[in-house]
Amino acid sequence: MKILVPTAGEEAAVEIADYVILVARQLDAELTVLHILKQDESKANGRDCCAVFLEAAHDTGVSVTSKVATGNLVHTIIAAAKEIDADLILMGASSGTVVENWLSANVMDECEIPVLVVPHCYRQF
């Protein structure tokens, strides 16, 4: 199984990385972490965001690759999912802001691949 994990930044990545690795282990899945650069963001910053998942996966047996891209958020996520032949898109909804809600809804609406959204409060469950 292949899972695409779009990340919104280092803070958001830290928030869900352990959970994403747990899901990947349970599903025996490979992860591809995708960070889409904002206009003022460097590729180094994008790599740092992805590195959070690499560190979380250390010694777990979960394979993690990373990709840094530019472009429209929704279309870039969907294109990356198709490119890796993803079975699932697993994305966090940190802080419940309008942008994350819009992004999650639009990816789910426009994508034929299942999308699982991890709420920012998942640790409370």
Side-chain angles (χ1 to χ4, degrees), residues 46-57:
R47 286 190 295 272
D48 289 346
C49 296
C50 294
V52 170
F53 292 90
L54 292 166
E55 291 170 18

Side-chain angles (χ1 to χ4, degrees), residues 40-100:
D40 60 342
E41 201 172 19
S42 70
K43 285 187 178 183
N45 185 277
R47 286 190 295 272
D48 289 346
C49 296
C50 294
V52 170
F53 292 90
L54 292 166
E55 291 170 18
H58 184 70
D59 292 333
T60 65
V62 175
S63 171
V64 179
T65 57
S66 62
K67 179 177 179 159
V68 177
T70 59
N72 172 280
L73 294 174
V74 173
H75 296 134
T76 304
I77 291 169
I78 293 170
K82 289 179 181 177
E83 180 182 313
I84 67 163
D85 196 25
D87 299 293
L88 177 68
I89 298 172
L90 180 56
M91 43 192 314
S94 60
S95 305
T97 65
V98 173
V99 172
E100 282 87 3

Side-chain angles (χ1 to χ4, degrees), residues 1-75:
M1 173 174 247
K2 295 180 183 178
I3 300 174
L4 177 69
V5 182
T7 182
E10 196 167 352
E11 185 177 323
V14 167
E15 193 173 295
I16 68 164
D18 290 336
Y19 185 82
V20 168
I21 299 303
L22 177 66
V23 170
R25 284 186 69 201
Q26 294 292 320
L27 297 175
D28 194 27
E30 300 172 14
L31 295 179
T32 298
V33 179
L34 171 67
H35 183 76
I36 303 167
L37 298 173
K38 299 175 187 96
Q39 287 182 353
D40 60 342
E41 201 172 19
S42 70
K43 285 187 178 183
N45 185 277
R47 286 190 295 272
D48 289 346
C49 296
C50 294
V52 170
F53 292 90
L54 292 166
E55 291 170 18
H58 184 70
D59 292 333
T60 65
V62 175
S63 171
V64 179
T65 57
S66 62
K67 179 177 179 159
V68 177
T70 59
N72 172 280
L73 294 174
V74 173
H75 296 134

